[in-house]
Amino acid sequence: QSALTQPASVSGSPGQSITISCTGTSSDVGSYNLVSWYQQHPGKAPKLMIYEGSMRPSGISNRFSGSKSGNTASLTISGLQAEDEADYYCCSYAGGSTSVFGGGTKLTVL
Amino acid sequence: EVQLVQFGGGLVQPGGSLRLSCAASGFTFSSYWMTWVRQAPGKGLEWVANIHKEGSEKNYVDSVKGRFTISRDNAKNSLFLQMNSLRAEDTAVYYCARDGSYYGTGEFDIWGQGTLVTVSS
């Protein structure tokens, strides 16, 4: 049940693309295509942005996309906008009906 | 409207107990796994516990096993977290969340507003 590893911070200018990585192990990220991503603005509850690695819930912009390679999942945000500035968390199924989150990444839009 | 509204929380002394509640509306509560997630002040999210749709399976993060108990009342569309033997490190905002996946594999699509639990003397 060790937390997944995310960079503490990333930044980009409006209109640019950024990618946030999420590294786990062969027991979680590497074993299942069940990574989800959450956006959290200060003082607010998290919001589901991506599930099952690359699926977007209804209402989520197609500027948000997810992928996975080996033990590392990634969230890419294209066409950065000011409102994308937030904390982002990955979460992976870890077997036995349990899940584990990443440490979180603070996205700054310059 | 699909929503989760949380109750409970507050200040409790180390070693004390507290019960959190989460009321669901706008969806068929008994069709979903439910989860508790917490966030210590200034820290990241931590998965705490989940419970099967019918309450037949419960899972916990190691740090709360034997101290916290998750339960649900499908007749009242409610989720609970009984927290005993509380420690300073349990201080956090606690969120209830609906798991939209069929097998409880972590797809938290609806979240409560969060409730702060502070463990301090």
Side-chain angles (χ1 to χ4, degrees), chain A residues 1 38 40 51 89 96-97, chain B residues 39 50 57 59 62 107-108:
Chain A
Q1 295 178 328
Y38 301 85
Q40 186 181 36
Y51 66 97
Y89 294 90
S97 297
Chain B
Q39 186 169 34
N50 70 357
E57 180 181 343
N59 301 286
D62 286 347
E107 182 186 309
F108 311 121

Side-chain angles (χ1 to χ4, degrees), chain A residues 13 21 27 31 35-37 40 43 46 53 55-56 60 62 65 74 77 82 87-90 92 94 108:
Chain A
S13 299
S21 62
S27 297
S31 286
V35 173
S36 52
W37 289 90
Q40 186 181 36
M55 304 297 291
R56 280 188 306 276
I60 300 301
N62 60 8
S65 61
S74 298
I77 308 174
D87 293 327
Y88 289 84
Y89 294 90
C90 62
S92 176
T108 300

Side-chain angles (χ1 to χ4, degrees), chain A residues 1 34-36 38 40 43-48 51-52 89 91-93 96-104, chain B residues 33 37 39 43-47 50 57 59-63 65 95 103-109 111-113:
Chain A
Q1 295 178 328
L34 293 169
V35 173
S36 52
Y38 301 85
Q40 186 181 36
K44 301 294 187 182
K47 178 182 180 180
L48 177 66
Y51 66 97
E52 292 181 3
Y89 294 90
C91 181
S92 176
Y93 181 63
S97 297
T98 66
S99 296
V100 59
F101 280 93
Chain B
W33 285 74
V37 175
Q39 186 169 34
K43 302 297 184 181
L45 301 174
E46 180 181 33
W47 181 92
N50 70 357
E57 180 181 343
N59 301 286
Y60 303 89
V61 68
D62 286 347
S63 59
K65 283 180 181 176
Y95 295 98
Y103 293 108
T105 51
E107 182 186 309
F108 311 121
D109 58 355
W111 293 70
Q113 81 275 20

Side-chain angles (χ1 to χ4, degrees), chain B residues 63-90:
Chain B
S63 59
V64 308
K65 283 180 181 176
R67 301 188 300 122
F68 289 12
T69 301
I70 188 172
S71 62
R72 65 191 298 162
D73 183 339
N74 285 345
K76 296 183 178 179
N77 295 332
S78 294
L79 175 72
F80 307 100
L81 185 67
Q82 177 66 42
M83 302 184 293
N84 298 332
S85 303
L86 282 161
R87 306 166 180 168
E89 54 265 36
D90 295 319

